[in-house]
Amino acid sequence: DAGITQSPRHKVTETGTPVTLRCHQTENHRYMYWYRQDPGHGLRLIHYSYGVKDTDKGEVSDGYSVSRSKTEDFLLTLESATSSQTSVYFCAVQPTETNYGYTFGSGTRLTVV
Amino acid sequence: AQSVTQPDIHITVSEGASLELRCNYSYGATPYLFWYVQSPGQGLQLLLKYFSGDTLVQGIKGFEAEFKRSQSSFNLRKPSVHWSDAAEYFCAVGSRASGGSYIPTFGRGTSLIVHP
């Protein structure tokens, strides 16, 4: 599983509070991605990173920010959580620049009440 | 912009029967195509991928997919389904993005139900 760990696995938080999800990888992959998965929508890209401090927005980036201060960690922050951000969040890594088969983490189930 | 359509939300098959999951894509250039499988409560696992060459691609767990450019399709097949194949299946088409990264766009998924 490319040594991907997502934390926490489950979280319940209140509307308006900040939340940070962590993706940790142990294999020094350059490219990392955050997706959210919702019924009927498949997976949608939130943000991605192509190196330390190099990030870009995806399809559904509003309300989310990311940081990557070291290769192994890619953090996703919900600045002020809303109920529409209740979802399952997946981190993925791209093994190399020419290997396009992603490896996914096990996901974080976030509930905003 | 690329897009992926999986026309079937649910498919039900009997164990031992053959399976075909449909995927149609829209992409201007030569597509990079993928199939992923997701078991309940798990992340996605790559089944197979197509970049170029032989249009019939073999994957893990006995799956194969055929790329048909004229039909913009990349259908997934398995000759004999096992109960453990019950899962959600996602087709994806990829494109280049910033810094050499590579972004797949996923379809909405097909849920496979296997009857004993």
Side-chain angles (χ1 to χ4, degrees):
Chain A
D1 65 353
I4 303 172
T5 304
Q6 290 187 235
S7 59
R9 289 297 311 275
H10 302 272
K11 185 172 182 66
V12 179
T13 192
E14 293 185 350
T15 299
T17 61
V19 178
T20 295
L21 309 183
R22 181 185 185 225
C23 179
H24 178 78
Q25 54 118 343
T26 59
E27 299 192 11
N28 208 37
H29 296 303
R30 178 181 174 187
Y31 304 98
M32 300 182 73
Y33 306 80
W34 276 108
Y35 283 86
R36 61 177 289 173
Q37 184 177 29
D38 304 289
H41 289 278
L43 280 86
R44 293 179 291 174
L45 181 67
I46 305 171
H47 282 280
Y48 64 101
S49 171
Y50 46 95
V52 173
K53 298 191 189 308
D54 292 321
T55 65
D56 206 344
K57 296 179 180 180
E59 176 188 358
V60 290
S61 59
D62 287 348
Y64 302 94
S65 63
V66 290
S67 66
R68 192 164 179 206
S69 58
K70 46 186 178 178
T71 299
E72 58 265 36
D73 288 324
F74 192 31
L75 305 180
L76 176 70
T77 297
L78 290 67
E79 302 291 347
S80 178
T82 68
S83 59
S84 65
Q85 294 176 311
T86 293
S87 187
V88 181
Y89 291 86
F90 286 99
C91 175
V93 299
Q94 177 181 329
T96 69
E97 190 161 334
T98 55
N99 181 347
Y100 306 130
Y102 278 14
T103 300
F104 282 82
S106 298
T108 294
R109 182 174 294 276
L110 177 68
T111 302
V112 183
V113 298
Chain B
Q2 66 268 25
S3 65
V4 174
T5 301
Q6 294 181 246
D8 304 303
I9 298 174
H10 303 282
I11 288 228
T12 301
V13 299
S14 297
E15 190 169 15
S18 62
L19 171 70
E20 183 169 33
L21 302 182
R22 296 184 292 164
C23 172
N24 293 98
Y25 68 90
S26 173
Y27 188 63
T30 301
Y32 292 170
L33 296 160
F34 307 83
W35 275 99
Y36 286 85
V37 61
Q38 183 182 33
S39 298
Q42 301 297 315
L44 280 69
Q45 180 184 22
L46 180 67
L47 281 176
L48 47 79
K49 57 189 176 185
Y50 171 79
F51 295 154
S52 64
D54 192 346
T55 56
L56 185 62
V57 181
Q58 301 298 318
I60 63 171
K61 305 185 180 188
F63 285 92
E64 66 177 27
E66 185 171 13
F67 170 59
K68 293 186 177 180
R69 184 186 298 275
S70 62
Q71 299 177 19
S72 297
S73 69
F74 189 56
N75 294 348
L76 182 70
R77 302 194 294 247
K78 187 170 185 178
S80 178
V81 171
H82 188 263
W83 65 266
S84 60
D85 293 324
E88 190 88 15
Y89 291 81
F90 293 92
C91 181
V93 61
S95 63
R96 278 289 190 185
S98 303
S101 58
Y102 191 78
I103 307 295
T105 297
F106 288 87
R108 296 188 175 188
T110 297
S111 178
L112 175 64
I113 301 163
V114 180
H115 282 312

